[in-house]
């Protein structure tokens, strides 16, 4: 039986990351027998509240990848406006492709099949450094981030 195209693409991306690691994260399979479930370790970006931290997360790819986005969930507890209290990541590029029915996001900001594991994780690291508190998945974290920003501004 031949492997689905999505599995072949994911194997290629995994091999590329192993051959040419990217600074800020490492990635591998949760189970060597399931190409659709990945474990990643993200290093907290410098000059952020997360600096020096190591954060484990899982990526779950649909069989329709790259036409549909994966889901990402932090396993390590993390306090961030764009990560809900159960660890699910809410970032535009992981939202289903097409127009946003609420008109908040442009189609170009949402999932596109050109995204790879590398571009996803770079976007998540960027999100850690620069949260979008206009569309929080964790309102409490967004409020505390806002108050911290005000406090630092006053200082």
């Amino acid at each position: 039986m031949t492997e689905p195209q999505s599995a072949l693409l994911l194997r290629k991306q995994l091999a590329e990351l192993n051959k040419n690691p990217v600074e800020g994260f490492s990635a591998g399979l949760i189970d060597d027998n399931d190409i659709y479930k990945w474990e990643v370790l993200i290093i907290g970006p410098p000059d952020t509240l997360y600096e020096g931290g190591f954060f484990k997360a899982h990526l779950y790819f649909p069989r329709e990848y790259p036409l549909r986005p994966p889901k990402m969930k932090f396993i390590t507890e993390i306090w961030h406006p764009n990560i809900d209290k159960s660890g699910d990541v809410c970032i535009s590029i992981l939202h289903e492709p097409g127009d946003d029915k609420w008109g908040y996001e442009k189609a170009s900001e949402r999932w596109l099949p050109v995204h790879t594991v590398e571009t996803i994780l770079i976007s998540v690291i960027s999100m850690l450094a620069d949260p979008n508190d206009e569309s929080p998945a964790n309102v409490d974290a967004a409020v505390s981030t806002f108050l911290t920003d005000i406090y630092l501004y006053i200082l």
Side-chain angles (χ1 to χ4, degrees):
M1 186 168 151
T2 61
E3 227 176 0
Q5 288 288 65
S6 56
L8 294 172
L9 179 58
L10 287 168
R11 285 195 197 290
K12 181 179 177 188
Q13 289 181 21
L14 180 60
E16 180 62 29
L17 287 172
N18 286 330
K19 183 179 172 187
N20 299 306
V22 177
E23 189 175 331
F25 70 86
S26 64
L29 300 181
I30 294 172
D31 172 354
D32 288 340
N33 296 316
D34 190 347
I35 191 67
Y36 295 101
K37 295 179 181 174
W38 290 43
E39 183 169 85
V40 297
L41 183 64
I42 295 175
I43 300 166
D47 302 320
T48 70
L49 297 172
Y50 308 100
E51 182 174 17
F54 294 91
F55 305 93
K56 187 187 294 187
H58 289 167
L59 277 168
Y60 304 101
F61 292 89
R63 300 275 192 256
E64 301 84 12
Y65 179 81
L67 299 177
R68 294 193 52 234
K71 304 275 187 231
M72 184 170 179
K73 182 181 193 76
F74 274 87
I75 305 307
T76 305
E77 191 172 332
I78 187 167
W79 183 253
H80 190 278
N82 306 117
I83 302 169
D84 73 17
K85 293 177 182 179
S86 67
D88 294 320
V89 175
C90 180
I91 186 172
S92 297
I93 69 161
L94 294 181
H95 293 164
E96 291 291 335
D99 292 325
D100 178 10
K101 64 181 175 183
W102 292 285
Y104 178 74
E105 299 168 331
K106 298 175 189 162
S108 61
E109 297 170 325
R110 296 166 69 90
W111 179 257
L112 296 170
V114 297
H115 285 299
T116 63
V117 173
E118 181 178 339
T119 63
I120 293 165
L121 294 175
I122 289 170
S123 294
V124 169
I125 291 169
S126 176
M127 174 199 77
L128 289 176
D130 187 20
N132 175 3
D133 43 5
E134 291 180 19
S135 176
N138 182 335
V139 175
D140 294 335
V143 169
S144 70
T145 301
F146 175 73
L147 294 175
T148 301
D149 288 346
I150 289 174
Y151 176 76
L152 293 173
Y153 177 77
I154 292 170
L155 291 178

